[in-house]
């Protein structure tokens, strides 16, 4: 009988000793997990001002002539995380057109929210220029760039911050067409269109 009592007392003591050790182990595990999150930066949220950009232009050739270029945009945040955006350049007439501007990065504020967006030159439409761009708008709610969705044909764009409009300038020989767009319901809408001659536009 005494042996049974001693056995029960021994089991009770072991149970009491192990219980607090289990709690300490759980607390230590939680602490280690928190430290790992802090070290790895899993909760890091990139800010617009922390990004740097570079482009890589990959040339596609057919019959020994350059036909177009694929543009890869590399976005790198402050933690060294890099994501890629892809663009397709305009087809090139290499005998007459310059491709020097393809892949050029600009950081204008396209939607007038006070935060620079991202635009990448995809090249000229013809020998008179008429440069086109792919544009990504910065969404400050989700902290990332999102492609600008619109059906407008915008050439050689000028950002008119004073009037909060985007100005498209198209030239063919001496003819120039200027179209102004404004934002409405998160889309660019044409508000004004005018025609003029290039010679008149360049007169002093």
């Amino acid at each position: 009988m005494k042996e049974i009592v001693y056995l029960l007392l021994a089991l009770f003591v072991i149970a009491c000793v192990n219980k607090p050790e289990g709690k300490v182990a759980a607390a230590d595990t939680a602490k280690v997990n928190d430290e790992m999150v802090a070290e790895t930066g899993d909760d890091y949220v990139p800010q617009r001002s922390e990004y740097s950009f570079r482009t890589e232009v990959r040339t596609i050739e057919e019959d020994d002539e350059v036909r177009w270029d694929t543009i890869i945009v590399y976005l790198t945040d402050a933690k060294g995380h890099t994501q890629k955006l892809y663009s397709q350049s305009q087809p090139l007439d290499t005998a007459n057109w310059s491709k020097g501007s393809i892949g050029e990065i600009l950081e204008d504020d396209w939607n007038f929210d006070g935060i620079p967006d991202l635009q990448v030159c995809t090249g000229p439409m013809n020998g008179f220029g008429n440069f086109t761009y792919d544009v990504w708008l910065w969404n400050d709610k989700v902290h990332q760039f999102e492609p600008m969705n619109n059906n407008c044909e915008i050439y050689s764009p000028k950002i008119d911050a004073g009037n909060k409009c985007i100005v498209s300038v198209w030239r063919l020989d001496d003819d120039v067409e200027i179209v102004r767009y404004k934002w409405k319901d998160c889309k660019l809408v044409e508000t004004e269109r005018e025609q003029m001659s290039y010679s008149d536009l360049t007169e002093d």
Side-chain angles (χ1 to χ4, degrees):
M1 184 65 178
K2 289 182 179 180
E3 293 177 355
I4 295 174
V5 172
Y6 288 144
L7 180 60
L8 291 174
L9 287 173
L11 292 173
F12 179 75
V13 170
I14 291 172
C16 291
V17 170
N18 286 339
K19 188 174 182 180
E21 287 180 357
K23 290 183 177 179
V24 172
D28 288 344
T29 301
K31 182 179 179 181
V32 169
N33 289 339
D34 289 342
E35 291 174 350
M36 289 177 64
V37 169
E39 289 176 359
T40 58
D42 291 341
D43 59 346
Y44 166 68
V45 178
Q47 304 299 314
R48 168 62 182 87
S49 59
E50 297 173 343
Y51 276 100
S52 61
F53 311 97
R54 70 179 180 88
T55 58
E56 176 184 340
V57 181
R58 296 182 179 177
T59 300
I60 307 299
E61 295 185 2
E62 293 179 359
D63 300 326
D64 298 325
E65 290 188 12
V66 175
R67 297 303 184 188
W68 67 84
D69 293 293
T70 295
I71 306 165
I72 306 174
V73 185
Y74 296 88
L75 288 70
T76 304
D77 62 29
K79 293 291 185 178
H81 304 144
T82 300
Q83 66 180 102
K84 298 177 184 178
L85 304 175
Y86 293 89
S87 286
Q88 176 91 21
S89 75
Q90 298 291 341
L92 293 175
D93 178 349
T94 55
N96 300 308
W97 302 357
S98 170
K99 57 176 288 183
S101 59
I102 292 177
E104 178 187 16
I105 292 176
L106 298 173
E107 299 178 58
D108 294 322
D109 182 7
W110 275 67
N111 55 358
F112 309 108
D113 63 354
I115 303 175
D117 301 303
L118 174 65
Q119 65 191 85
V120 176
C121 183
T122 57
M125 286 293 291
N126 58 23
F128 295 98
N130 305 316
F131 289 94
T132 59
Y133 292 82
D134 280 344
V135 180
W136 291 268
L137 303 177
W138 175 258
N139 186 330
D140 207 41
K141 293 182 179 179
V142 297
H143 294 269
Q144 66 183 23
F145 288 95
E146 298 178 340
M148 184 178 75
N149 297 318
N150 68 286
N151 298 320
C152 306
E153 297 291 343
I154 301 177
Y155 305 101
S156 300
K158 309 296 181 185
I159 311 300
D160 185 351
N163 295 306
K164 291 187 176 182
C165 67
I166 308 296
V167 183
S168 171
V169 181
W170 168 272
R171 180 191 172 193
L172 184 61
D173 293 324
D174 194 48
D175 297 323
V176 176
E177 182 178 70
I178 299 176
V179 184
R180 291 175 174 81
Y181 299 91
K182 288 195 173 185
W183 289 98
K184 183 177 182 181
D185 299 327
C186 298
K187 292 183 179 180
L188 284 175
V189 177
E190 180 181 330
T191 58
E192 185 180 352
R193 181 183 295 258
E194 59 180 314
Q195 310 279 343
M196 63 181 63
S197 67
Y198 183 76
S199 54
D200 290 342
L201 187 64
T202 55
E203 285 183 354
D204 293 332

